[in-house]
Amino acid sequence: MDKELPLLPASPFLTWIEQKLGLTQGVRYMLLAVFGFALMNVLVKYIVHIPATEVVFFRSLVSLVMSLYFLRQEKITVLGRNKKILFLRGAFGGSALILFFTTIQEMPLASAVTIHYLAPIFTTLIAIFVLKETLFKRQWLFFGICFLGVLLIKGFDERVSLFYFGLGILSAFLSGCAYNCIRLVKESEHPLVVVISFPLVMLPISGIYCLFDWVTPQGWDWLFLLGIGILTQIAQYFMTKAYQVERAARVASVSYTGMLYALPFGMLLFDEYFGLLPLLGMVVVLLGVWLNVRFGKK
């Protein structure tokens, strides 16, 4: 197997947290990924005047440059061994990201992120057939609790049209497909090889599309686009590591903690306010995540 990057450095504080909350290395990776994606979502929301496909183009460009640099430092082959699976990972992930960015730009941030929380459910369901993973009956209950929390957060938001809601569902499903592709190559591919499969597939596709729907970035747009690329690269790496070192059903549920950022960011930065249901839903989802993590450790 290709040379691995070093694990996250240990510290007394992280060790204490891990012991008290039962956090494994995979869960820690996913928590870092969730935070990176949350910051990325905010930047995408700030540049709603730039088409989602163009945002993906710049994100792919930054990811390609960063991945090539680190892969060269580690002397790792860019294309990897499982080229077909890596291509599918890039195609599924890229399509999902374009749809997700579109929903972020067309509906409240918390609503878009909430709908995307169906991705872990699709990931787990697909893993049953693709990876032959076993899902215990009790875990179905925990995921049901998480889904109930998502419904409470979503509520009856009139700002979400049926069309964009459908795009959000499709984005979540495609993300589930991409995550399972990551799991399929966990024993043979370096995380950065998996990450670079995204820009290798999406850069030419999004670039061609941009020729027909191009909006020239102005001023701060360039900094936001650069930030989106860097944050996504970092988050993608940690998410890939999480799915490679942990069972899909377990780390998938941890991604629900992203709502802890989506709701406050939406309210403080974009004046997107909700009623009491989102607060109750947050508690319900976190309960489901905690139960699933604790059960998965046992």
Side-chain angles (χ1 to χ4, degrees):
M1 186 174 178
D2 290 320
K3 182 180 177 182
E4 288 285 351
L5 292 179
L7 296 177
L8 293 175
S11 69
F13 176 72
L14 288 178
T15 301
W16 181 81
I17 291 293
E18 182 173 324
Q19 292 175 346
K20 294 297 182 180
L21 300 182
L23 301 183
T24 62
Q25 189 71 41
V27 173
R28 288 168 57 188
Y29 281 137
M30 183 57 81
L31 288 174
L32 288 172
V34 167
F35 181 68
F37 283 130
L39 296 179
M40 176 207 71
N41 294 339
V42 171
L43 297 183
V44 173
K45 188 72 173 177
Y46 268 120
I47 52 175
V48 294
H49 54 283
I50 297 180
T53 305
E54 186 175 335
V55 177
V56 171
F57 171 79
F58 282 104
R59 174 256 189 263
S60 301
L61 184 61
V62 174
S63 177
L64 181 65
V65 173
M66 293 181 65
S67 297
L68 285 175
Y69 172 78
F70 287 111
L71 285 171
R72 177 167 294 187
Q73 292 292 109
E74 296 293 327
K75 298 180 180 180
I76 299 172
T77 304
V78 173
L79 297 180
R81 299 184 178 91
N82 298 277
K83 295 179 178 60
K84 292 183 179 179
I85 300 299
L86 290 172
F87 174 82
L88 289 175
R89 178 262 180 273
F92 286 139
S95 301
L97 193 62
I98 291 176
L99 296 178
F100 180 48
F101 282 178
T102 301
T103 59
I104 288 179
Q105 294 179 338
E106 299 295 335
M107 65 176 68
L109 178 62
S111 297
V113 173
T114 296
I115 295 172
H116 198 68
Y117 282 147
L118 294 174
I121 296 178
F122 286 123
T123 299
T124 303
L125 294 176
I126 295 171
I128 296 175
F129 302 99
V130 176
L131 304 176
K132 309 302 180 183
E133 289 193 354
T134 301
L135 191 65
F136 298 98
K137 293 181 179 180
R138 193 175 301 179
Q139 287 181 285
W140 283 106
L141 173 61
F142 301 154
F143 272 97
I145 293 174
C146 292
F147 187 72
L148 175 61
V150 169
L151 292 179
L152 290 173
I153 293 175
K154 172 63 175 65
F156 298 93
D157 194 342
E158 297 180 353
R159 295 168 292 183
V160 179
S161 69
L162 182 60
F163 174 74
Y164 289 113
F165 180 77
L167 291 186
I169 296 294
L170 181 58
S171 173
F173 174 77
L174 293 174
S175 293
C177 295
Y179 297 155
N180 276 276
C181 289
I182 294 174
R183 291 282 290 165
L184 285 172
V185 297
K186 69 174 184 176
E187 299 293 341
S188 60
E189 306 294 351
H190 188 280
L192 285 175
V193 173
V194 179
V195 171
I196 202 174
S197 65
F198 178 96
L200 288 177
V201 174
M202 291 308 300
L203 191 60
I205 295 176
S206 59
I208 294 174
Y209 185 88
C210 287
L211 294 176
F212 303 95
D213 188 23
W214 175 263
V215 176
T216 303
Q218 303 292 330
W220 285 95
D221 294 344
W222 293 105
L223 183 60
F224 290 156
L225 289 169
L226 178 62
I228 290 171
I230 294 175
L231 287 170
T232 310
Q233 177 76 2
I234 295 173
Q236 196 76 31
Y237 172 78
F238 284 122
M239 186 202 69
T240 301
K241 287 291 294 181
Y243 277 102
Q244 286 186 327
V245 302
E246 198 80 54
R247 293 180 69 249
R250 188 175 185 190
V251 296
S253 65
V254 180
S255 64
Y256 281 98
T257 58
M259 71 178 59
L260 291 173
Y261 307 109
L263 283 172
F265 285 165
M267 290 187 292
L268 296 176
L269 301 177
F270 306 107
D271 294 324
E272 297 171 350
Y273 293 95
F274 298 84
L276 293 177
L277 285 179
L279 298 178
L280 178 59
M282 183 185 302
V283 175
V284 172
V285 171
L286 291 178
L287 174 63
V289 170
W290 182 79
L291 289 173
N292 191 62
V293 170
R294 295 296 297 181
F295 181 79
K297 183 181 180 182
K298 294 179 182 179

